[in-house]
Amino acid sequence: MNITLDNITTTGGMSVTRTHRPADGLAVGRYLVDGLYANVTERKIPTFVNADVTELSDKDGMVTGVTVKIDGKEKRLRLNQLCLQQVVSVPTWKWLLN
């Protein structure tokens, strides 16, 4: 995946080094998002943003799909993997399908 967190350090009141960061010391969050998104793109996994979930489908207590509204059109998606992300009170939903 080309994500390496080999700089182990302390942060915010830690007495023991246990925070993993990239070698250049960048904040880990953005580094992980960029690395994971590059992996998703490389694998050609469809990603949808700014989609409103209107219904969840389930079987035996497990989510098997969603109905979403994207650009005013509803789509029903069957899922093997689902990643939901909400950033700073603005809903940004991403579905990773395979």
Side-chain angles (χ1 to χ4, degrees), residues 5 10 13 15 17-18 21 26 34-35 39 50 68 72-73 77:
L5 302 174
T10 59
S15 59
T17 57
R18 62 178 174 240
R21 290 187 176 189
L26 286 175
D34 290 346
N39 189 27
N50 299 324
V68 295
K73 298 176 187 170
L77 305 172

Side-chain angles (χ1 to χ4, degrees), residues 16 46 52-53 79 82 87 90:
V16 177
D52 295 323
V53 174
L79 307 174
L82 172 65
V87 181
V90 177

Side-chain angles (χ1 to χ4, degrees), residues 52-57 65-69 74-77 95:
D52 295 323
V53 174
T54 59
E55 182 182 346
L56 293 176
S57 304
V66 294
T67 302
V68 295
K69 189 179 278 189
E74 282 204 340
K75 291 185 178 194
R76 189 166 197 70
L77 305 172
W95 285 268

Side-chain angles (χ1 to χ4, degrees), residues 15 19 26 29 42 44 51 53 58 60 67 70 77 83-85 89 91 95:
S15 59
T19 299
L26 286 175
E42 180 181 314
K44 296 182 168 93
V53 174
D58 73 307
D60 300 325
T67 302
I70 303 170
L77 305 172
C83 176
L84 304 176
Q85 180 183 10
S89 79
W95 285 268

Side-chain angles (χ1 to χ4, degrees), residues 19-40:
T19 299
H20 294 72
R21 290 187 176 189
D24 60 9
L26 286 175
V28 72
R30 184 64 192 195
Y31 177 81
L32 285 176
V33 168
D34 290 346
L36 292 170
Y37 189 72
N39 189 27
V40 165

Side-chain angles (χ1 to χ4, degrees), residues 85-98:
Q85 180 183 10
Q86 185 172 5
V87 181
V88 193
S89 79
V90 177
T92 305
W93 303 96
K94 295 182 180 180
W95 285 268
L96 307 178
L97 311 176
N98 61 11

